[in-house]
């Protein structure tokens, strides 16, 4: 099950990258219906099928170059759904052995919701609110599957062994444990910041605001463009109906979105620069240094790809990689938090009361 869950994580990353590719080549409406394409299981190819498709959807003539990216994305997403349902079924069947089964069931239910958002993305003609939520749903699915992998691998490693009790017996509280324990809320704050930044990226993509600023470090020659329209750029009451392919916002609204996304990146960079440095210094025995390096590498790569997007004007490979590395950054932060939770629990539990007692005696 752990191996299949790992496969599902890899497949989820592929689905996210395919979704970015579909969006970047303007193929989000390559098939005007769902789940098929013009009523077929694949993009119509023969002259007769194309004629039937054009008759069914006269306002959306067949364009195979845009239909195939959309259908390949759907095939991959459908495969991911089947793997997740298989994991859920296996978890329920093996639940008596202690295998986590609530999380796989929740993921299976969430996959159904994510499929509904995929349908609404098409039927509501790329309505930005739905597109952004669909993108966030993809990252959420990936995060939940990663958590499932970590839980299953821990279960496999500890099955049949009194692992936790044995580990607690030989643990002695240290000052490093106390200092690391105090950083846990800040780790969750970092996860929240990364999530908000991904949401900003999703809103930027849904409103085609990535090309609103084409210079660095300024935007259209200004550090803070004076004509930015935040009210319009972050208006979530856009009405359903128009075809949102290419976006409907004004240039000033898109600039406001783009600049906000840039500021968010700087906030995330500054926050993690401080937090990772503190964890590194307090992890004297090296418990968390590997995941810290992983987060630092993912953050550096993501910032570099974001800058490259602007410098080279959103080239397709770099733009897709930027989406993928956003997922990589999120997963690296989740892994860091997981590893923090895996620190000897007795060590942290004893360390915190010791700190409180010392503070009371000092007072």
């Amino acid at each position: 099950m752990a191996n299949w869950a790992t496969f599902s994580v890899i497949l989820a990353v592929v689905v996210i990258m395919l979704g970015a590719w579909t969006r970047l080549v303007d193929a989000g409406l390559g098939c005007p219906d769902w789940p098929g394409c013009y009523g077929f299981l694949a993009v119509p190819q023969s002259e007769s099928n194309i004629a039937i498709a054009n008759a069914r959807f006269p306002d959306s003539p067949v364009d195979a170059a845009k239909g195939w990216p959309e259908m390949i994305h759907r095939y991959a997403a459908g495969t991911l759904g089947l793997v997740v349902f298989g994991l859920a079924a296996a978890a329920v069947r093996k639940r008596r052995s202690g295998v986590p089964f609530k999380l796989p069931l929740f993921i299976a239910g969430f996959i159904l919701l994510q499929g509904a958002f995929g349908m609404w993305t098409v039927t509501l003609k790329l309505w930005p609110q739905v597109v952004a939520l669909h993108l966030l749903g993809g990252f959420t699915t990936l995060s939940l599957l990663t958590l499932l992998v970590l839980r299953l691998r821990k279960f496999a490693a500890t099955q049949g062994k009194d692992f936790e009790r044995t580990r607690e017996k030989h643990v002695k509280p240290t000052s490093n444990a106390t200092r690391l324990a105090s950083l846990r809320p800040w780790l969750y704050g970092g996860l929240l910041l990364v999530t908000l930044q991904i949401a900003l990226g999703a809103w930027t993509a849904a409103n085609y605001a990535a090309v609103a600023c084409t210079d660095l470090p300024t935007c259209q020659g200004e550090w803070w463009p004076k004509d930015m329209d935040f009210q319009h750029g972050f208006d979530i009451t856009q009405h359903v109906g128009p075809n949102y392919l290419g976006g409907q916002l004004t240039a000033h609204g898109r600039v406001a979105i783009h600049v906000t996304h840039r500021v968010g990146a700087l906030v995330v960079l500054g926050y993690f620069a401080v937090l990772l440095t503190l964890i590194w210094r307090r992890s004297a025995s090296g418990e968390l240094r590997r995941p810290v390096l992983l987060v630092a590498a993912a953050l550096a790569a993501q910032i570099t790809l974001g800058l490259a997007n602007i410098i080279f004007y959103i080239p397709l490979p770099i733009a897709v990689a930027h989406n993928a590395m956003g997922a990589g950054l999120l997963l690296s932060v989740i892994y860091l938090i997981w590893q923090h939770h895996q620190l000897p629990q007795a060590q942290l539990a004893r360390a915190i009361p010791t700190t409180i007692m010392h503070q009371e005696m000092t007072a």
Side-chain angles (χ1 to χ4, degrees):
M1 284 184 66
N3 290 336
W4 275 104
T6 302
F7 172 71
S8 70
V9 168
I10 297 171
L11 188 54
V13 174
V14 172
V15 171
I16 287 173
M17 294 176 68
L18 287 173
W21 172 50
T22 301
R23 186 174 61 256
L24 289 163
V25 297
D26 293 328
L29 294 177
C31 297
D33 53 338
W34 189 93
C37 190
Y38 293 90
F40 298 95
L41 292 176
V43 180
Q45 298 280 42
S46 66
E47 291 185 6
S48 59
N49 285 346
I50 290 176
I52 293 172
N54 289 334
R56 288 173 176 169
F57 298 91
D59 296 331
S60 303
V62 174
D63 185 347
K66 292 188 176 181
W68 276 115
E70 175 67 7
M71 287 309 296
I72 292 172
H73 179 222
R74 293 182 188 180
Y75 295 150
T79 303
L80 176 61
L82 292 175
V83 174
V84 168
F85 295 146
L87 282 169
V92 171
R93 189 172 65 251
K94 296 177 180 294
R95 66 186 184 278
R96 294 185 182 276
S97 65
V99 170
F101 72 94
K102 292 182 180 180
L103 180 58
L105 287 176
F106 180 80
I107 297 173
F110 192 84
I111 281 283
L112 293 175
L113 178 62
Q114 181 70 348
F117 273 104
M119 175 187 67
W120 294 329
T121 296
V122 175
T123 58
L124 298 180
K125 298 181 179 180
L126 303 181
W127 191 37
Q129 286 85 327
V130 168
V131 172
L133 288 173
H134 187 48
L135 290 173
L136 286 174
F139 281 88
T140 302
T141 302
L142 176 62
S143 301
L144 292 172
L145 287 171
T146 301
L147 182 59
L148 178 61
V149 170
L150 294 171
R151 287 187 178 181
L152 286 172
R153 293 203 176 279
K154 181 181 178 181
F155 175 78
T158 60
Q159 190 176 19
K161 301 176 184 178
D162 199 3
F163 180 80
E164 293 297 331
R165 186 176 300 174
T166 302
R167 186 168 66 171
E168 288 183 6
K169 280 182 180 179
H170 301 285
V171 165
K172 294 181 179 179
T174 65
S175 59
N176 285 334
T178 306
R179 300 168 71 194
L180 282 172
S182 66
L183 293 176
R184 183 168 294 176
W186 298 99
L187 282 169
Y188 281 106
L191 179 62
L192 177 61
L193 277 180
V194 170
T195 303
L196 291 175
Q197 181 63 3
I198 289 173
L200 275 173
W203 190 246
T204 301
N207 287 283
Y208 299 86
V211 294
C213 302
T214 57
D215 53 325
L216 281 171
T218 58
C219 175
Q220 298 184 357
E222 298 179 278
W223 287 101
W224 190 258
K226 58 185 177 182
D227 294 326
M228 288 189 292
D229 188 351
F230 287 95
Q231 183 175 358
H232 191 210
F234 290 93
D235 179 15
I236 59 173
T237 63
Q238 300 174 56
H239 60 283
V240 179
N243 186 329
Y244 284 94
L245 184 64
Q248 294 282 335
L249 292 184
T250 64
H252 300 313
R254 297 186 196 195
V255 169
I257 296 173
H258 187 109
V259 170
T260 304
H261 189 49
R262 284 192 187 185
V263 172
L266 291 174
V267 171
V268 171
L269 178 61
Y271 186 94
F272 274 97
V274 175
L275 180 59
L276 295 180
T277 300
L278 288 174
I279 296 175
W280 183 272
R281 289 180 176 177
R282 297 182 184 186
S283 184
S285 55
E287 307 98 325
L288 297 178
R289 289 195 169 184
R290 183 175 296 178
V292 162
L293 288 175
L294 186 63
V295 174
L299 182 58
Q302 181 68 340
I303 294 293
T304 301
L305 288 169
L307 295 174
N309 265 331
I310 298 170
I311 294 170
F312 299 109
Y313 199 72
I314 319 294
L316 183 60
I318 294 178
V320 172
H322 187 56
N323 279 262
M325 190 49 65
L329 176 59
L330 176 63
L331 296 189
S332 65
V333 173
I334 290 173
Y335 180 66
L336 174 58
I337 294 174
W338 171 268
Q339 289 298 104
H340 189 277
H341 276 275
Q342 301 315 302
L343 291 174
Q345 295 303 309
Q347 189 170 343
L348 294 179
R350 294 172 193 167
I352 293 174
T354 301
T355 303
I356 295 174
M357 185 183 299
H358 176 72
Q359 290 173 349
E360 290 177 350
M361 291 175 65
T362 304

